[in-house]
């Protein structure tokens, strides 16, 4: 079957969000443009890494090409609204690609579906017929900065960390390895 690549050259929204309660959240990236809406599921760590790498890419683009990159996203670019519903998972993300399109002066994010076969690097950010389905999003530097800021907020909005071991605290506490098995709760 031919590969499907969903391309969003001027998305109305590209956001990270979650469904579920802290400790049991499913993370999604959602892109929308006019009447098209795509949601892909991924791991919390993938959202965190993508946000960090976008920040690094923007710094590198500014350093190498002198492109104007905002330190903070303009307030108009910040999106605090929840995910659009219904959230229907198109696929689960396995491989992510990140690049800079000098022609359009845009950050390019590509999210590839998990596949049985090992993904060849040549497939990432390429329009080849073979390979896993993908979502490709083009963002202005300010929109990319806004995405990264929101992604950081979403990742950090989960369970509070234990002050001793930094592991997440469940609502009923957790067994802290630093307390030799003593059950610690949020009130402790």
């Amino acid at each position: 079957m031919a590969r499907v690549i969903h391309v969003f050259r001027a998305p109305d929204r590209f956001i990270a969000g979650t469904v579920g309660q802290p400790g049991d959240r499913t993370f999604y990236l959602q892109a929308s443009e006019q009447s098209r809406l795509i949601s892909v599921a991924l791991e919390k760590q993938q959202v965190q890494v993508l946000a960090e790498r976008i920040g690094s890419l923007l710094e590198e683009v500014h350093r190498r090409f002198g492109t104007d990159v905002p330190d903070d996203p303009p307030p108009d670019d910040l999106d605090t609204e929840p995910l659009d519903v219904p959230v229907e998972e198109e696929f689960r993300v396995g491989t992510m690609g990140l690049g800079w399109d000098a022609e359009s002066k845009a950050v390019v994010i590509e999210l590839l579906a998990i596949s049985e076969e090992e993904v060849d690097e040549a497939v990432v950010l390429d329009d080849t017929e073979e390979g896993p389905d993908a979502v490709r999003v083009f963002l202005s530097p300010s929109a990319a900065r806004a995405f990264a800021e929101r992604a950081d907020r979403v990742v950090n909005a989960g369970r509070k960390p234990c002050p001793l071991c930094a592991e997440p605290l469940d609502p009923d506490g957790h067994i802290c390895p630093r307390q030799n098995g003593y059950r610690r709760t949020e009130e402790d």
Side-chain angles (χ1 to χ4, degrees), residues 3 95-96 110 112-113 115-126 128 130-132:
R3 176 181 192 205
T95 303
M96 299 185 298
E110 185 159 286
L112 283 76
S115 65
E116 298 294 318
E117 304 87 41
E118 191 167 325
V119 176
D120 182 13
E121 284 185 26
V123 172
V124 181
L125 298 171
D126 193 13
T128 60
E130 297 300 316

Side-chain angles (χ1 to χ4, degrees), residues 78-89:
L78 292 176
D79 187 336
T80 57
E81 296 299 313
L83 294 169
D84 290 328
V85 291
V87 178
E88 296 176 354
E89 180 181 316

Side-chain angles (χ1 to χ4, degrees), residues 145-159:
R145 184 74 76 194
F147 169 83
E149 186 173 303
R150 178 183 170 125
D152 282 337
R153 280 196 325 267
V154 167
V155 166
N156 293 321
R159 297 173 289 174

Side-chain angles (χ1 to χ4, degrees), residues 63-140:
R63 188 181 66 73
R64 290 175 90 189
F65 304 114
T67 302
D68 188 28
V69 175
D71 290 332
D72 295 313
D76 293 349
D77 284 351
L78 292 176
D79 187 336
T80 57
E81 296 299 313
L83 294 169
D84 290 328
V85 291
V87 178
E88 296 176 354
E89 180 181 316
E90 185 75 17
F91 58 79
R92 183 160 279 284
V93 175
T95 303
M96 299 185 298
L98 185 62
W100 175 252
D101 182 22
E103 187 177 306
S104 64
K105 294 191 185 309
V107 172
V108 183
I109 300 167
E110 185 159 286
L111 311 162
L112 283 76
I114 291 177
S115 65
E116 298 294 318
E117 304 87 41
E118 191 167 325
V119 176
D120 182 13
E121 284 185 26
V123 172
V124 181
L125 298 171
D126 193 13
D127 293 333
T128 60
E129 287 292 318
E130 297 300 316
D133 290 351
V135 172
R136 186 177 299 151
V137 181
F138 291 76
L139 298 174
S140 69

